[in-house]
Amino acid sequence: KDFNMPVKGNNDLLSMTTPEIIKKIYKQYLEIGGSNLIGTNTFSSTTIAQADYGMEHLVYELNYEGARLAREACDEVTAADPSNPRFVVGAMG
């Protein structure tokens, strides 16, 4: 979608525009990095931060998608090794 202002730097938006990449990054932290906890890609998913991009209306969806992708990644990695459960930690800015 086209926006009426630059979105460069709005990394939280990537959870909606390129979810496969964000989920891959989550899984790399869990599988390669050995993390048991991953933070959601939602640090700037607040109305104040998104006002810089005119995207305050997307705050709920940004938070939902960031958490959903992280939860899916944790569930998939945990299913492969149930003895080592993985958890999602929400990020708030």
Side-chain angles (χ1 to χ4, degrees):
K1 179 177 176 178
D2 293 325
F3 295 99
N4 61 355
M5 58 183 17
V7 295
K8 184 177 180 179
N10 190 356
N11 297 323
D12 295 16
L13 187 60
L14 297 173
S15 291
M16 291 173 51
T17 60
T18 56
E20 65 285 348
I21 293 173
I22 297 302
K23 186 174 176 182
K24 181 179 177 182
I25 292 169
Y26 286 151
K27 288 184 79 170
Q28 288 175 337
Y29 272 102
L30 297 165
E31 295 173 331
I32 299 169
S35 296
N36 292 324
L37 304 168
I38 54 171
T40 58
N41 181 39
T42 56
F43 187 77
S44 296
S45 293
T46 65
T47 53
I48 294 170
Q50 289 302 310
D52 293 345
Y53 305 98
M55 296 185 186
E56 304 95 298
H57 63 286
L58 294 178
V59 167
Y60 176 85
E61 193 171 358
L62 290 168
N63 281 285
Y64 181 86
E65 290 302 315
R68 181 185 64 78
L69 293 169
R71 181 72 264 154
E72 284 180 8
C74 284
D75 289 348
E76 290 173 16
V77 174
T78 298
D81 181 7
S83 69
N84 187 12
R86 304 322 201 290
F87 302 95
V88 175
V89 179
M92 299 186 323

